[in-house]
Each structure stands twice: as structure tokens, then as C-alpha cells.
Amino acid sequence: MYKRQAGIREYYRQFGGGNASSEDFRRVMESASGRDLEWFFKQWLERPGYPILASTLEWDGQAREARITVTQEQPDAWPAFRFPLDVEVALPDGARERVRMAVEGRSASVRLPAPVAPESVRLDPDGWLLHRREGR
């Protein structure tokens, strides 16, 4: 069982049908995961905004790889967010290559195998991240 599922089950066991705070939820999830999640809760619950993402796609034919750069383009008054991001490139033959990258600042890059020039890139193809995509 995933730690997040165990944490949610424990949260419902302790607080189901009652009142709880975000701090209560944080404590249960930290206990289930064995990790300090203060940064996560501060980022998503106490700070303004959300990630506004743009991406660029470059193909290196000699290395046979794609380089994807993701930038956070939210207003300067909003912080840069920290999150894992799934990225998928579509190849001309219909194949898709995926990679998970760590975004920890205003810009992050990742390389992944691409035997031919990719046609497109999709950020967060499964829709897990609260964000807005900037067209580019």
C-alpha cells in the first residue's frame, strides 16, 4: 500500500465525521510517510498562487535525445514551487517517452531518449499537478 493511502486511511480513522485542521492532516501524513512535510503544506496552503508552466523542447540528433526545459512563469510576487513533474514526448511513429523530473526553482531541464525529433511535449499528462500551462 502506498504511504499516502495509508496516511489518508489513518486520517479518516482519527477524524472521520469530526473536525480536523490542516495541521492535523499534516501530522498524520508525516507519521505515515516518515518524512517532514512542512515545506509541502506551507507551499500549497499558506503561500499565494500556483505554478504557471511553460516548456521548450529541443532535439539533439547526434545524442539522440530530447531536452525539455520547464519554466515557472507566475508573477514575481508568487514563489517558485517545488514538485515532481511527469513529462511526455510524442514521437512521429506514435511512441511516447516519459520521464519524471524534479522542479525546484524557476527553471528545470531534463533529457530523455528520442531516436528521432519529437513532435510534441506534454507536461503532467495524467493531470496530477495543480497548475496552469502557458502556451509556447
Side-chain angles (χ1 to χ4, degrees):
M1 177 183 345
Y2 293 107
K3 291 178 183 179
R4 123 183 87 194
Q5 291 171 331
I8 291 170
R9 285 190 178 138
E10 179 60 19
Y11 176 75
Y12 278 115
R13 188 190 70 71
Q14 288 185 33
F15 298 103
N19 295 321
S21 67
S22 297
E23 187 62 29
D24 294 327
F25 184 58
R26 179 182 142 210
R27 277 195 302 272
V28 170
M29 295 305 287
E30 284 179 336
S31 177
S33 69
R35 296 167 62 185
D36 178 3
L37 299 173
E38 181 178 8
W39 69 269
F40 177 87
F41 282 85
K42 281 188 180 228
Q43 171 178 280
W44 292 106
L45 298 178
E46 297 177 18
R47 295 180 179 168
Y50 50 87
I52 299 174
L53 304 178
S55 65
T56 58
L57 170 64
E58 298 170 327
W59 184 64
D60 181 339
Q62 198 164 23
R64 299 174 62 91
E65 65 183 14
R67 179 181 174 173
I68 297 105
T69 301
V70 175
T71 56
Q72 295 190 55
E73 299 192 344
Q74 58 266 24
D76 289 338
W78 296 1
F81 287 78
R82 174 180 154 195
F83 51 89
L85 180 65
D86 291 332
V87 176
E88 180 180 86
V89 295
L91 301 175
D93 65 0
R96 302 203 181 289
E97 296 287 338
R98 272 194 189 200
V99 66
R100 176 166 287 172
M101 63 186 296
V103 178
E104 296 185 358
R106 292 278 175 181
S107 180
S109 296
V110 66
R111 294 177 183 270
L112 67 153
V116 296
E119 291 184 333
S120 64
V121 63
R122 286 181 62 199
L123 305 181
D124 189 32
D126 297 319
W128 286 104
L129 180 68
L130 171 65
H131 74 286
R132 188 175 87 209
R133 172 76 195 243
E134 286 296 298
R136 257 217 263 190

